[in-house]
Amino acid sequence: MNRREPIEYANASPQVRAVFDDIKRSRNVEDVNNFWKYMAHDPATLERTWTSVKEIMSPGALSPLVKEMLYVAVSATNGCGYCIASHGAAARKAGMTEAMFGELMAVVGMANETNRLANGYRVPIDAAFDR
Amino acid sequence: MNRREPIEYANASPQVRAVFDDIKRSRNVEDVNNFWKYMAHDPATLERTWTSVKEIMSPGALSPLVKEMLYVAVSATNGCGYCIASHGAAARKAGMTEAMFGELMAVVGMANETNRLANGYRVPIDAAFDR
Amino acid sequence: MNRREPIEYANASPQVRAVFDDIKRSRNVEDVNNFWKYMAHDPATLERTWTSVKEIMSPGALSPLVKEMLYVAVSATNGCGYCIASHGAAARKAGMTEAMFGELMAVVGMANETNRLANGYRVPIDAAFDR
Amino acid sequence: MNRREPIEYANASPQVRAVFDDIKRSRNVEDVNNFWKYMAHDPATLERTWTSVKEIMSPGALSPLVKEMLYVAVSATNGCGYCIASHGAAARKAGMTEAMFGELMAVVGMANETNRLANGYRVPIDAAFDR
Amino acid sequence: MNRREPIEYANASPQVRAVFDDIKRSRNVEDVNNFWKYMAHDPATLERTWTSVKEIMSPGALSPLVKEMLYVAVSATNGCGYCIASHGAAARKAGMTEAMFGELMAVVGMANETNRLANGYRVPIDAAFDR
Amino acid sequence: MNRREPIEYANASPQVRAVFDDIKRSRNVEDVNNFWKYMAHDPATLERTWTSVKEIMSPGALSPLVKEMLYVAVSATNGCGYCIASHGAAARKAGMTEAMFGELMAVVGMANETNRLANGYRVPIDAAFDR
């Protein structure tokens, strides 16, 4: 199979289909998104990544909404276009309003700015924080 | 004043003192942390940065706790040691438990991983996300 | 010449042509790829970059295959789309199979994850490693 | 337990000890390194990360040596001091000579340079690479 | 209004129009560029960002030309396609010639290379620089 | 020679000494800084890097002062502590005042902020900039 093409369910191996089935069931969607169809070129990575994502993104001390917003914050910082789009959609599905997205991006922008100010001025860590 | 030393209140200009006073009042702290004492070498940046941080980090559609966690997520992604320490402390003050920190870091780690998988496999954005 | 257009051999100066000729001879290709055609807008950078790339990527203690995979690892980490595509192609030409690419990306993803976990938890360097 | 201190085996929960035991057995070492002692503050992340690292870093289509060098390449690109030190040590244990390290760093440096040249000149992907 | 569409002047609120008017007046342009039309989805961020950009990018100890070139250097390092294009255009409008752009990119490339060499070799800061 | 120690002139090979001599002569300094003493562990990289740095950082369409400031901007963005310190010192030697440094950092901070806003809002490039 050409690695530049997504692997669709119809052409997938049983191992890949089992992961796709679990994604569809867990997320209650009719089809998996492109990320998983490309990961399917490496079934070991597909399975390990899905197992980890499923465990990490499920409700815990943090809500799925907060977790998706953290995902967007990291993805915008790294400039990953695919991840901004897919986790932005997931965050909205989990309840992120446009006002929340606006504030999320404002924090991300400011954090990226002050990270560099702290670097450039070589600010030493306060004793109070170093615990 | 030596730029490699923090500017303490006692040695600060009236313009810098006014910002320090507002930070102490707004955050109910006895002293500002090192970041501000170094920014004080450039009063215009000190004032503008504090005004922006104050506006952005105040409660809105997102709580201060969520905003501080987003700040930590960006800082850990960028590897800014000072910012991880200072905003980690702020997040804890705002209510972040160790369990929440653990999940926050798990999401940050996973997002940084899948950002690179999406890049490396050159995954195209699903039509459903491109809206 | 419009800097947004590649400089083709037919329109290139003798200095640029000499570099293009050396690239084609060294790599045994009929034409240079876009990177070089854009670098040609700055002949000094073109010449210096090619000289360095040629020296660095030639066989030594590491094989050309390993070197191209390292290039892909950096490019996926930085999210450079052009570089992922061009050095992915070079790595495949040098013998990278799809199984190798899958493992390469798995390592790149995991390294990007644990880099952030180490940052966020502020893990101190073990004495044993600090030598 | 203070999250700014490593969790030593003597103070670890049975779940954490089980992971530490597996790391020691798999790597044939007497003690785990700091990374794992800090991850132990979040046993779920400790266990998931170790399981993934163990699977990803074991011999496959790529040798452990090549995998460790890829890890160093990513860590140097991200500037993760801990990871450069720990995976540098692992790479040397797996057989990386100083000559190999020198070439590895030369490739990492050059890739980081050309990634930015490709970005800055906005080089479009060659049709031949876009497959 | 659909957040994936730019907000044009005709459809903008009075608060947004006031910012757009100030941008057009300050820059002597007939229309604002896309960045501002998207920021308009969050009027608070639009206003704060424009106020900061206007203050920071105006002539001071550094000329607008040098400031725009610094902006391009950061944007190329981060791989922000939009920012490379828009601030590249602004730098050219402020007087950047193609020769200057060539040297700017050469420095950016080299700095990204040596940043990683310094990281990878774990070079300690010289006492003479630590002041 | 232990790779974690700098290579001093007294212990250097003739090839390394020749590079050190040229650095000292070109920069009119009595000793080279740590970066070069660590690069000396890989004489090929030492020589190639110095040749490139010397060519790139010499006066041209941009002054050495502007070039050093661009270097600082990249280094602060990447968070390379060594590079911020060494090129900050070089920029000051070339004439950068504290006011200039303040403005430089203000631009770097703002660029890092707006890079992420442009990413997160997925702003399309204006037709006017795409030339």
Side-chain angles (χ1 to χ4, degrees):
Chain A
M1 267 169 274
N2 181 343
R3 84 201 132 73
R4 295 289 304 130
E5 299 290 338
I7 293 182
E8 301 293 344
Y9 192 89
N11 308 317
S13 69
Q15 184 189 1
V16 166
R17 280 190 186 186
V19 178
F20 281 13
D21 283 336
D22 193 43
I23 296 173
K24 292 195 279 185
R25 202 163 37 233
S26 303
R27 297 190 160 173
N28 195 25
V29 289
E30 286 187 26
D31 195 8
V32 304
N33 53 282
N34 277 342
F35 179 76
W36 306 109
K37 293 179 183 174
Y38 278 76
M39 287 308 107
H41 288 286
D42 181 0
T45 295
L46 171 71
E47 192 165 346
R48 190 181 54 247
T49 305
W50 166 243
T51 304
S52 294
V53 165
K54 192 181 172 184
E55 181 179 325
I56 290 170
M57 300 306 282
S58 65
L62 300 178
S63 67
L65 170 58
V66 167
K67 288 180 174 184
E68 288 293 350
M69 290 194 297
L70 291 167
Y71 226 114
V72 172
V74 170
S75 303
T77 297
N78 287 330
C80 177
Y82 182 83
C83 314
I84 292 167
S86 62
H87 287 279
R92 287 182 170 90
K93 199 172 163 185
M96 182 177 73
T97 62
E98 290 312 304
M100 293 163 83
F101 175 69
E103 294 190 11
L104 155 61
M105 284 311 305
V107 175
V108 167
M110 183 53 45
N112 272 290
E113 175 169 359
T114 57
N115 280 194
R116 273 62 184 210
L117 291 173
N119 285 343
Y121 280 88
R122 303 167 59 202
V123 183
I125 296 183
D126 302 70
F129 298 152
D130 209 8
R131 286 180 292 198
Chain B
M1 269 170 273
N2 181 342
R3 84 201 132 71
R4 293 290 303 132
E5 300 289 338
I7 294 181
E8 300 293 343
Y9 192 89
N11 309 316
S13 68
Q15 184 190 2
V16 166
R17 282 191 184 184
V19 177
F20 282 13
D21 284 335
D22 193 43
I23 296 174
K24 292 196 279 187
R25 201 164 38 232
S26 303
R27 296 189 162 174
N28 196 23
V29 289
E30 286 187 23
D31 195 9
V32 304
N33 53 282
N34 278 342
F35 179 75
W36 306 110
K37 292 179 183 175
Y38 277 77
M39 286 308 108
H41 287 287
D42 180 2
T45 295
L46 172 70
E47 191 165 346
R48 189 181 55 247
T49 305
W50 166 243
T51 303
S52 293
V53 165
K54 191 181 173 183
E55 181 179 326
I56 290 169
M57 300 306 283
S58 64
L62 300 178
S63 68
L65 170 58
V66 168
K67 288 180 173 183
E68 288 293 350
M69 291 195 297
L70 291 168
Y71 226 114
V72 172
V74 170
S75 302
T77 298
N78 286 330
C80 178
Y82 183 83
C83 314
I84 292 166
S86 62
H87 286 279
R92 286 181 172 90
K93 200 172 162 185
M96 182 178 71
T97 63
E98 291 311 306
M100 292 162 84
F101 176 70
E103 294 190 11
L104 155 62
M105 283 310 306
V107 175
V108 168
M110 183 53 45
N112 272 289
E113 176 168 0
T114 57
N115 280 193
R116 273 62 184 208
L117 291 173
N119 286 344
Y121 280 89
R122 304 168 61 201
V123 183
I125 297 183
D126 303 70
F129 297 153
D130 208 10
R131 285 183 290 197
Chain C
M1 268 169 272
N2 182 342
R3 84 200 131 74
R4 295 289 303 132
E5 300 290 339
I7 293 182
E8 301 293 344
Y9 192 90
N11 308 315
S13 69
Q15 185 190 1
V16 166
R17 281 191 185 185
V19 178
F20 281 13
D21 283 336
D22 193 42
I23 296 174
K24 292 195 279 186
R25 202 164 36 233
S26 302
R27 297 189 161 173
N28 195 22
V29 289
E30 287 188 22
D31 195 9
V32 305
N33 53 282
N34 277 341
F35 179 76
W36 306 110
K37 293 179 184 175
Y38 278 75
M39 285 310 106
H41 288 286
D42 181 2
T45 295
L46 171 71
E47 191 164 348
R48 189 182 54 247
T49 305
W50 167 243
T51 304
S52 293
V53 165
K54 191 181 172 184
E55 180 178 328
I56 290 169
M57 300 305 283
S58 65
L62 301 178
S63 67
L65 169 59
V66 168
K67 289 181 174 183
E68 288 294 349
M69 290 195 297
L70 291 168
Y71 226 113
V72 172
V74 170
S75 302
T77 298
N78 286 330
C80 177
Y82 183 83
C83 315
I84 293 167
S86 62
H87 287 278
R92 285 180 172 92
K93 200 171 161 186
M96 182 177 72
T97 63
E98 290 312 305
M100 292 163 84
F101 176 69
E103 294 192 11
L104 155 62
M105 282 312 305
V107 175
V108 168
M110 182 54 45
N112 272 290
E113 175 168 1
T114 58
N115 279 194
R116 273 63 185 208
L117 291 173
N119 285 343
Y121 280 88
R122 302 166 61 201
V123 183
I125 297 182
D126 303 70
F129 297 152
D130 209 8
R131 287 181 291 198
Chain D
M1 266 169 274
N2 182 341
R3 83 199 133 73
R4 294 290 302 132
E5 300 289 339
I7 293 181
E8 300 293 344
Y9 192 90
N11 308 315
S13 70
Q15 184 190 2
V16 165
R17 281 190 186 186
V19 177
F20 281 12
D21 283 336
D22 193 43
I23 296 173
K24 291 196 279 188
R25 202 163 36 233
S26 303
R27 295 187 163 175
N28 195 23
V29 289
E30 287 187 25
D31 195 9
V32 304
N33 54 283
N34 278 342
F35 180 76
W36 306 108
K37 294 179 183 175
Y38 277 77
M39 285 309 106
H41 288 287
D42 181 359
T45 295
L46 171 70
E47 192 166 346
R48 188 182 54 248
T49 305
W50 166 244
T51 305
S52 293
V53 165
K54 192 181 172 183
E55 180 178 327
I56 291 169
M57 300 306 282
S58 65
L62 300 177
S63 68
L65 170 58
V66 167
K67 288 180 174 184
E68 289 293 350
M69 291 194 297
L70 291 167
Y71 226 114
V72 172
V74 170
S75 303
T77 297
N78 286 329
C80 177
Y82 182 82
C83 314
I84 292 166
S86 63
H87 286 279
R92 285 180 172 92
K93 201 172 162 183
M96 182 178 72
T97 62
E98 291 311 304
M100 291 162 85
F101 175 70
E103 294 190 11
L104 155 61
M105 283 311 306
V107 175
V108 168
M110 182 55 44
N112 273 287
E113 176 168 359
T114 57
N115 279 195
R116 274 60 186 210
L117 292 173
N119 286 342
Y121 280 88
R122 303 167 61 201
V123 183
I125 298 183
D126 303 70
F129 297 152
D130 209 9
R131 286 181 290 197
Chain E
M1 268 170 272
N2 182 341
R3 83 199 132 75
R4 295 290 302 132
E5 299 290 338
I7 294 182
E8 300 293 344
Y9 192 90
N11 308 317
S13 69
Q15 184 189 1
V16 166
R17 282 190 185 186
V19 178
F20 282 13
D21 283 336
D22 193 43
I23 296 173
K24 292 195 279 187
R25 203 164 34 233
S26 302
R27 296 190 161 173
N28 195 22
V29 288
E30 286 188 24
D31 195 8
V32 304
N33 52 282
N34 278 341
F35 179 76
W36 306 109
K37 293 179 183 176
Y38 277 76
M39 285 309 106
H41 288 286
D42 181 0
T45 295
L46 170 70
E47 192 166 347
R48 189 182 53 247
T49 305
W50 166 244
T51 304
S52 293
V53 165
K54 192 181 172 184
E55 181 178 327
I56 290 169
M57 300 307 281
S58 65
L62 300 179
S63 67
L65 169 59
V66 168
K67 289 180 173 183
E68 288 294 350
M69 290 195 296
L70 291 167
Y71 226 114
V72 172
V74 170
S75 303
T77 297
N78 287 331
C80 177
Y82 183 82
C83 314
I84 292 166
S86 62
H87 287 279
R92 286 181 172 91
K93 200 172 162 185
M96 182 177 72
T97 62
E98 290 313 304
M100 292 163 84
F101 175 70
E103 294 191 11
L104 155 61
M105 284 311 305
V107 175
V108 168
M110 182 55 43
N112 272 289
E113 175 168 0
T114 58
N115 280 194
R116 274 61 184 210
L117 291 173
N119 286 342
Y121 280 88
R122 303 166 62 202
V123 183
I125 297 183
D126 302 71
F129 298 152
D130 209 8
R131 287 180 290 197
Chain F
M1 268 168 273
N2 182 342
R3 84 200 131 73
R4 294 289 303 132
E5 300 290 339
I7 294 181
E8 301 292 343
Y9 192 90
N11 308 316
S13 69
Q15 183 189 3
V16 166
R17 281 189 185 187
V19 177
F20 282 13
D21 283 335
D22 193 42
I23 296 174
K24 291 196 278 186
R25 202 165 35 232
S26 303
R27 295 187 163 176
N28 195 23
V29 289
E30 286 187 24
D31 195 9
V32 304
N33 52 283
N34 278 341
F35 179 76
W36 306 108
K37 292 179 184 175
Y38 278 75
M39 285 310 106
H41 288 287
D42 182 359
T45 294
L46 172 70
E47 191 164 346
R48 189 182 54 246
T49 305
W50 167 244
T51 304
S52 292
V53 165
K54 191 181 172 183
E55 179 178 328
I56 291 169
M57 300 306 282
S58 65
L62 300 178
S63 68
L65 170 58
V66 168
K67 288 180 173 183
E68 288 294 349
M69 291 194 297
L70 291 167
Y71 225 113
V72 172
V74 170
S75 302
T77 297
N78 286 330
C80 177
Y82 182 82
C83 314
I84 293 167
S86 62
H87 287 279
R92 285 181 172 93
K93 201 171 161 185
M96 181 178 71
T97 63
E98 291 312 305
M100 291 163 84
F101 175 69
E103 295 190 11
L104 155 63
M105 283 311 305
V107 175
V108 168
M110 182 54 44
N112 272 289
E113 176 168 359
T114 57
N115 280 194
R116 274 60 185 210
L117 291 172
N119 285 343
Y121 280 89
R122 304 166 62 202
V123 183
I125 297 183
D126 303 70
F129 297 152
D130 210 8
R131 287 182 288 197

